[in-house]
Amino acid sequence: METRFDELLEFPCYQTFKVLGLAHERLPEDVVACLQQLAPDNYNPSIRPSTKGNYHSVSIDVRVTSKEHMESVYIELGKLELVRVVL
C-alpha cells in the first residue's frame, strides 16, 4: 500500500476510521476486536445505519503511531468478513 500519510500527518495522532459493513450486530464487535490487536485502547464506536438499513457505518478513533501502523489498520479492518469499505 503506497500512501502519503507520513507527509500529511504528524505521528503519533488520533485518526477516525469509518468502517462500512453489513448491518449485523457483530460488525462493531469485530471492528473493536481487530483494533484491540493492532492498537489496544478503550474504544467507543459510533454506529449509524444506512437509509435502507442494509449497512452500518462504524466510526472509531484510533491512535496510530506511524504510516506503517495506519496502513496496517486499513488492511486488517478491510479483511473482516462483514466489512465492505474502510475510509
Side-chain angles (χ1 to χ4, degrees):
M1 175 181 268
E2 278 300 314
T3 64
R4 294 179 32 201
F5 294 139
D6 54 339
E7 297 171 21
L8 303 170
L9 300 169
E10 195 170 312
F11 294 100
C13 66
Y14 279 89
Q15 181 66 34
T16 301
F17 288 84
K18 185 172 280 198
V19 180
L20 306 172
L22 297 177
H24 192 285
E25 62 188 29
R26 205 179 77 227
L27 178 64
E29 297 169 10
D30 289 354
V31 169
V32 169
C34 179
L35 291 174
Q36 288 293 2
Q37 293 183 359
L38 299 167
D41 205 344
N42 292 324
Y43 292 109
N44 187 20
S46 169
I47 303 152
R48 294 184 51 139
S50 65
T51 305
K52 293 183 181 178
N54 297 327
Y55 298 94
H56 282 172
S57 168
V58 179
S59 296
I60 194 161
D61 293 329
V62 180
R63 185 176 186 272
V64 290
T65 57
S66 67
K67 170 189 173 187
E68 294 78 18
H69 186 215
M70 191 164 177
E71 290 170 349
S72 68
V73 171
Y74 274 107
I75 291 167
E76 295 305 314
L77 287 173
K79 290 179 182 178
L80 296 175
E81 177 186 353
L82 296 172
V83 171
R84 296 300 176 254
V85 177
V86 182
L87 304 172

